[in-house]
Amino acid sequence: MLAVAVLAAGKGTRMKSDLPKVLQPLAGATLVERVLASCQRLNPSRQLLVVGHQAERVQTSLAARPELEYVLQQPQNGTGHAVQQLLEPLAGFEGELLVLNGDVPLLREQTLEHLLERHRSSGAAVTLLSARLADPTGYGRVIADEAGQVSAIVEHRDCTADQKAINLINAGIYCFDWARLAQVLPQLSSDNDQGELYLTDTVALLGSAIHLEVADADEINGINDRLQLCQCEAVLQQRLREHWMREGVTFVDPASCSLSDGTRFGRDVIVEPQCHFRGNNLISDGCRIGPGSLLEEVQLGKGVEVLFSVVRGAQVADGCAIGPYSQLRPGTRLEADCRVGNFVEIKNSHLDHGCKVNHLSYIGDADLGQGVNVGAGTITANYDGLRKHRTLIGSGSKTGANSTLVAPLNLGAGVTVAAGSVITRDVAAGALALGRARQVVKENWPGPV
Ligand code: UD1
Ligand code: MG
């Protein structure tokens, strides 16, 4: 049996933030979500989260995971004190306890599987993850012999000058034999520089500890301040971009682009510089994105082009072209081969096959039939100050430049709206609608004096 405990009660003083540290976002997911995700393949029978600082906020953020058991640590008197809080909920539990620091979010699932296997085959009381770092500053140092037996962990601030030179560090990830850990937990003392109970002191107390060195030291990056947050973001982004490049996506300038875990690409997609993908996106084969675009919760069909544009909450079918300088807002659905051009905003609207909205328009709460040609500067006036209303435009219709369509409004198929019109009444199929003052010309006008 395996139980997992994630330590997430600390304040994260060094972040200088109102947000509890484990709720800081990293590539679109919080630190604690990432830590929890890293152990799911192990199929733990219990998942406990030690919470304390802003406990409610942490719990609310994880409301979608009813399998989590929360253990309150109040006050927060160190990582050893945090694990002492498990003595009651895990009373009688038999098996291993995997302890994960809530601020170590880049662990790979395979690494934890490896840790568990190593622990089970060695028979040690605890197996901990370690790494060799060029700069070990801030981490606990692992005092170990050549066979990998660990005699103690000494926190950076408690190290002697000689110990500070050790570059083998404690990652904060441990696999304990729970029964043996439970026996030594009550013996922890706060006789250290911070006056806290250190989980790391159990290593010496247990007298039977080994370490497993990770091959990729990036995995065990702990986040204590914004600099480390940014370093971890860079590692994650690089992992995501490398993955997608191997899957057949071209990044022209990868370092200038950011991805989310939930973004999926087809083959032969080209991502130009300065493009950002957030949330869940599907970018199908042959799309060309950017330069300079933001996409969030979008589905793009094959061969879609997006240039210098913001696309959010939209579905765009095959062969559409967006931009430059378009904004597609939530609820926008474009069928195949539509064109949306510069300085056009579309919201909560459906455009059927082959529509063109090429210049300076606002289309909100509208349904356009096939092949509608929206003239430059056409606006759907969808809001009367109290409520939103819909505009329907039949297939093959054409609006002239600078028309205002005052909703609720229904234009039939093949309607022509004259340039500069304000249309307030429904128009039957095939008609021409004009709604503007007739031009007046005064001959021989004296002009300005
Ligand atoms: C800890 C380790 C250190 C290791 C490093 C790896 C100890 C004493 N030291 O140091 O050896 O190199 O992680 O990143 O464990 N927490 C609680 N309750 C508390 C205190 C902390 O739940 O009372 C949680 C924090 O929310 C955090 C985790 O434990 O997620 C680690 O705490 P932190 O203060 O960051 O420990 P480090 O100084 O990084
Ligand atoms: Mg830390």
Side-chain angles (χ1 to χ4, degrees):
M1 291 258 271
L2 174 71
V4 172
V6 178
L7 308 189
K11 184 174 175 195
T13 312
R14 289 165 277 182
M15 295 301 294
K16 307 214 163 104
S17 173
D18 292 338
L19 207 58
K21 178 164 70 175
V22 294
L23 294 191
Q24 293 287 342
L26 197 59
T30 63
L31 298 188
V32 67
E33 279 167 351
R34 289 193 174 278
V35 172
L36 285 166
S38 69
C39 66
Q40 293 312 303
R41 245 177 37 196
L42 302 175
N43 232 338
S45 47
R46 312 259 310 255
Q47 297 183 54
L48 303 104
L49 204 71
V50 182
V51 290
H53 177 71
Q54 296 200 42
E56 250 175 52
R57 204 162 165 190
V58 176
Q59 283 180 238
T60 309
S61 81
L62 292 165
R65 287 173 164 270
E67 70 279 13
L68 297 178
E69 298 172 49
Y70 294 96
V71 181
L72 194 64
Q73 183 200 10
Q74 213 62 276
Q76 294 85 46
N77 196 19
T79 49
H81 182 242
V83 176
Q84 280 180 346
Q85 312 309 307
L86 304 176
L87 283 167
E88 206 183 295
L90 285 182
F93 174 80
E94 283 174 22
E96 294 88 16
L97 173 70
L98 178 69
V99 175
L100 304 174
N101 269 4
D103 62 349
V104 181
L106 301 185
L107 280 171
R108 290 199 173 90
E109 291 177 310
Q110 305 90 288
T111 305
L112 292 179
E113 280 173 344
H114 197 175
L115 176 71
L116 193 60
E117 280 163 24
R118 186 70 210 286
H119 179 76
R120 284 180 174 159
S121 63
S122 75
V126 56
T127 308
L128 55 100
L129 276 188
S130 63
R132 290 210 181 268
L133 298 187
D135 177 11
T137 310
Y139 288 96
R141 305 301 203 280
V142 177
I143 318 289
D145 66 16
E146 279 180 6
Q149 299 279 341
V150 181
S151 54
I153 296 174
V154 186
E155 288 307 296
H156 177 90
R157 51 206 299 171
D158 300 307
C159 278
T160 62
D162 281 353
Q163 288 170 332
K164 276 199 178 126
I166 297 172
N167 68 353
L168 188 67
I169 65 98
N170 167 33
I173 311 297
Y174 322 78
C175 191
F176 289 100
D177 176 87
W178 168 249
R180 287 200 260 178
L181 176 66
Q183 277 178 2
V184 301
L185 275 174
Q187 299 168 31
L188 291 175
S189 90
S190 55
D191 182 16
N192 53 53
D193 189 59
Q194 274 185 293
E196 289 185 347
L197 300 178
Y198 285 170
L199 180 61
T200 44
D201 288 347
T202 60
V203 166
L205 292 170
L206 285 164
S208 159
I210 58 170
H211 71 100
L212 176 70
E213 201 177 315
V214 288
D216 174 7
D218 278 343
E219 275 191 61
I220 53 84
N221 276 343
I223 296 183
N224 297 310
D225 58 29
R226 308 263 180 172
L227 199 73
Q228 287 166 323
L229 186 68
C230 151
Q231 285 159 352
C232 282
E233 179 82 34
V235 171
L236 263 183
Q237 291 298 338
Q238 187 58 15
R239 277 189 196 170
L240 288 167
R241 291 184 302 242
E242 278 179 17
H243 170 80
W244 287 111
M245 285 190 257
R246 286 202 188 88
E247 293 295 314
V249 177
T250 294
F251 282 87
V252 176
D253 179 12
S256 72
C257 297
S258 62
L259 301 180
S260 57
D261 295 320
T263 298
R264 303 266 169 282
F265 294 92
R267 289 156 69 94
D268 293 316
V269 172
I270 299 179
V271 181
E272 302 250 17
Q274 293 289 357
C275 290
H276 305 282
F277 299 82
R278 297 181 187 162
N280 297 307
N281 299 294
L282 176 65
I283 314 297
S284 304
D285 296 352
C287 285
R288 187 177 196 105
I289 313 297
S293 297
L294 170 64
L295 288 82
E296 184 169 358
E297 301 290 336
V298 307
Q299 289 177 30
L300 304 187
K302 292 182 180 161
V304 170
E305 293 195 8
V306 178
L307 178 61
F308 286 114
S309 292
V310 176
V311 185
R312 286 188 162 122
Q315 288 175 32
V316 178
D318 297 357
C320 289
I322 316 293
Y325 312 112
S326 310
Q327 176 170 211
L328 303 189
R329 290 170 47 201
T332 297
R333 284 187 302 132
L334 306 185
E335 301 302 338
D337 301 322
C338 288
R339 271 211 53 88
V340 178
N342 38 216
F343 307 107
V344 170
E345 175 179 349
I346 302 184
K347 178 217 88 166
N348 192 27
S349 296
H350 177 237
L351 278 62
D352 210 337
H353 182 267
C355 286
K356 292 191 174 68
V357 193
N358 273 336
H359 334 265
L360 304 157
S361 281
Y362 171 62
I363 302 295
D365 304 307
D367 295 287
L368 278 58
Q370 291 187 12
V372 170
N373 192 322
V374 177
T378 297
I379 304 290
T380 53
N382 59 330
Y383 186 49
D384 61 13
L386 284 174
R387 271 169 303 169
K388 304 274 172 67
H389 302 281
R390 291 199 81 80
T391 300
L392 311 181
I393 308 180
S395 295
S397 293
K398 177 184 179 309
T399 66
N402 259 1
S403 351
T404 303
L405 309 177
V406 181
L409 188 67
N410 188 349
L411 307 184
V415 161
T416 302
V417 173
S421 295
V422 177
I423 304 296
T424 55
R425 281 185 289 134
D426 291 354
V427 181
L432 166 70
L434 294 105
R436 63 189 191 212
R438 190 177 288 274
Q439 180 173 328
V440 176
V441 177
K442 308 268 182 185
E443 302 289 345
N444 300 322
W445 190 252
V449 253

